[in-house]
Amino acid sequence: MTKNSLTVTDNRTGKQYEIPVEDGFVRATDLRKIKMGDGDAGLLAYDPGFLNTAACRSAISYIDGDKGVLRYRGYPIEQLAEQSTFLETAYLLVYGELPSAPQLEVWIKEITHHTFIHENIKKFIDGFHHDAHPMGVFVSTVAALSTFYPEAKQIYDNEVRHTQIVRLIAKMPTLAAFAHRHSVGLPYAYPDNDLSYAGNFLNMMFKTTEVKYEVNPTLQRALDVLFILHADHEQNCSTSAMRTAGSSHPDPYTAMAAAAAALYGPLHGGANEEVLKMLREIGSKDRIPGYIERVKRGELRLMGFGHRIYKNYDPRATIIKRIADEVFSVTGKNPLIDLAVELEQIALQDDYFVSRKLYPNVDFYSGLIYEAMQIPVDMFPVLFAIGRTPGWLAQWQEMLLDKEQRIARPRQIYVGPEKRDYVPMERRK
Ligand code: ACO
């Protein structure tokens, strides 16, 4: 008869333990009963970078990294990118089901109604130096929003939580566009609530003297799809930051500032910015082999390549490649695309990348599209943050409502000095 358990023999003591296996996992706390003796606190699971540790059960996104599959709430990313809109996908992520027509109408109305930010927020943005990185401005102003909505601390009140979710999704494009306008010295362009979510973002980014900003439908749809593709990605670095910060129960603005800060780094959401810098540094096709050699010598990483979970083509990268063609038909071709395609082809034939299963990730091509749309390179991580907002919020809410979750507090293996006595200054060497 098969048993859903492991029988573990501790060769240090000869003792045997029965560890239950549930749904393909063992509980790390079950290891604690494996002890050398009474004074022993029990075995710990050691997993720097959480390579093989699940921190939650989640019903939001599903990834099969070997097959290159991504689904939100069961729906394949390809179908959502083809048929859904960002706001509908946001509803799906947050509430678990696709909305009915009236539900979607209310949701869009609510989000559109909350796109404005308090005038005082503009004063914070004004205070940043003119060349401040927009992601720094974004992280700080998201945190600052918490001071405007003190009721947001009532995280277990469903209605209050819903309002903050709506506010955060609604205000992110406004904060992002204002951060950009400040960095280029342009007056802020206020939200236009006649426009779609993506259309309004383009309006706030690019409106100048015209009375009404005219949105290009192809660019609007491309941006909307890019937001869909970035909307959630299970327990990535920034989502884990959202859950970890959120587990001490601050308001969601503060928790989301932590998530956005985690996104900023070049190994995560900052990678799209780094890809563009890398392609510019390479400059021409004949320099690709030399660059690849440097990567293989370990001098640098090929930005936009590799992923902790995908060991196959990132399905989002496939969709992005298609959108790139649509965008370039409007904007003209980004000359760096040929370089990127060639770099991908050379890398995917090289044993270094093949043996490590390193494929282009979502960030390899997204920057080329943003750049063709005249979005400055330092705004790329901010765009990622706009897209990821519903995912962060859905995961935060799921964490709060999950009875098994507690404050996130990993253990450590202490490797510092043994107890020693304080040495007064005059006796120190
Ligand atoms: N270029 C060159 N080599 C790489 C790359 C890369 N982009 N990524 C991984 N490797 C190599 C590592 O050197 C390592 O080789 P080794 O076994 O000889 O030491 C092996 O592949 C495994 O790499 P790890 O760093 O252990 O993989 P990990 O899962 O920790 O890192 C990460 C994943 C951070 C995404 C990594 O692939 C990377 O740095 N990529 C570049 C940055 C990037 O594009 N980030 C965006 C990720 S997607 C997102 O956040 C939206």
Side-chain angles (χ1 to χ4, degrees), residues 51 230 233 236 263 266-269 271-272 275 295-296 300-309 311 314 316 352-353 356 358 361-363 384 388:
L51 268 78
H230 286 91
H233 213 233
N236 57 84
L263 186 76
L267 298 190
H268 189 15
N272 50 16
V275 171
V295 171
K296 287 161 66 175
L300 16 97
R301 286 199 161 200
L302 202 55
M303 299 313 284
F305 258 69
H307 199 275
R308 172 63 61 77
I309 308 289
K311 301 302 167 201
D314 182 336
R316 301 168 300 173
Y352 176 94
F353 297 90
R356 289 171 178 76
L358 300 170
N361 59 50
V362 66
D363 281 330
F384 193 148
R388 185 54 57 87

Side-chain angles (χ1 to χ4, degrees), residues 15 21 32-33 35-36 77 93 128 133 171 182 196-198 243 263 267 295 344 367 394 398 402-403 414-415 418:
K15 282 193 196 156
V21 177
R32 302 204 59 184
K33 58 189 176 198
K35 297 179 181 194
M36 291 285 280
I77 190 67
L93 288 169
F128 284 95
H133 194 292
K171 291 183 199 310
H182 175 72
S196 73
Y197 190 83
R243 281 178 173 262
L263 186 76
L267 298 190
V295 171
E344 178 193 324
E398 185 179 66
D402 178 350
K403 296 267 181 290
Y414 179 69
V415 294
E418 292 295 315

Side-chain angles (χ1 to χ4, degrees), residues 68-132:
V69 168
L70 170 62
R71 295 180 203 137
Y72 297 160
R73 302 281 189 185
Y75 295 101
I77 190 67
E78 293 80 4
Q79 292 181 21
L80 293 167
E82 192 68 42
Q83 298 174 58
S84 184
T85 61
F86 176 63
L87 288 188
E88 184 185 58
T89 298
Y91 184 100
L92 170 71
L93 288 169
V94 172
Y95 290 112
E97 294 297 336
L98 286 169
S100 65
Q103 282 171 328
L104 184 60
E105 198 187 330
V106 172
W107 175 246
I108 293 175
K109 215 179 254 173
E110 281 185 299
I111 289 179
T112 309
H113 175 77
H114 283 281
T115 48
F116 277 71
I117 53 175
H118 194 288
E119 285 291 293
N120 284 351
I121 300 268
K122 280 187 359 196
K123 294 187 194 155
F124 297 143
I125 300 179
D126 286 341
F128 284 95
H129 202 48
H130 71 277
D131 60 356

